[in-house]
Amino acid sequence: QVQLVESGGGLVQAGGSLRLSCTASGQTFSSYVMGWFRQAPGKEREFVAAISWSSGATYYSDSVKGRFTISRDNAKNTVYLQMNSLKPEDTAVYTCAAGGSLSRRPSMYRYWGQGTQVTVSS
């Protein structure tokens, strides 16, 4: 059974940093792409970043480029999202997902975690 478990969310002041983790289990993920998405209340799910587990290639949304960094630790089956210079508009539930291609489309991701709340106060 595939499981994706996020951690690291919380409350931070604007300008601060957080690091989210997503640990995968249940099968080999070496051929997958891991993505981070977020959803704020009343808004649609939004792509944040993605990384190819095998090549390390990354893809970012314009809204986070230069502030967020996605990385992975193959030995730990864990993907990270380092978030710096956080803004109140970054407040959302952040969810990791596993899929087959480096895409911003949620429909391209097969497995999803439960999400972790990130709140940025002004």
Side-chain angles (χ1 to χ4, degrees):
Q1 184 178 357
V2 174
Q3 258 197 321
L4 301 177
V5 179
E6 303 95 337
S7 62
L11 173 64
V12 64
Q13 287 189 329
S17 298
L18 280 175
R19 189 178 79 157
L20 305 183
S21 301
C22 172
T23 300
S25 63
Q27 68 176 69
T28 301
F29 285 87
S30 58
S31 63
Y32 279 81
V33 165
M34 302 298 294
W36 284 98
F37 291 80
R38 66 186 183 185
Q39 188 166 20
K43 295 189 176 181
E44 291 188 354
R45 180 175 283 168
E46 176 190 15
F47 170 77
V48 176
I51 186 167
S52 167
W53 208 290
S54 57
S55 70
T58 58
Y59 179 32
Y60 294 94
S61 71
D62 288 343
S63 61
V64 306
K65 198 175 296 183
R67 299 188 298 123
F68 291 10
T69 303
I70 189 170
S71 61
R72 86 264 196 240
D73 184 330
N74 291 1
K76 296 182 178 180
N77 256 16
T78 299
V79 174
Y80 303 99
L81 185 68
Q82 177 67 43
M83 306 185 295
N84 298 329
S85 302
L86 282 161
K87 305 175 182 179
E89 51 264 44
D90 293 318
T91 295
V93 174
Y94 284 70
T95 306
C96 72
S101 62
L102 208 61
S103 172
R104 65 188 306 119
R105 294 165 54 190
S107 61
M108 300 302 290
Y109 293 81
R110 181 176 181 182
Y111 303 107
W112 292 82
Q114 293 299 309
T116 184
Q117 176 70 46
V118 171
T119 303
V120 184
S121 63
S122 56

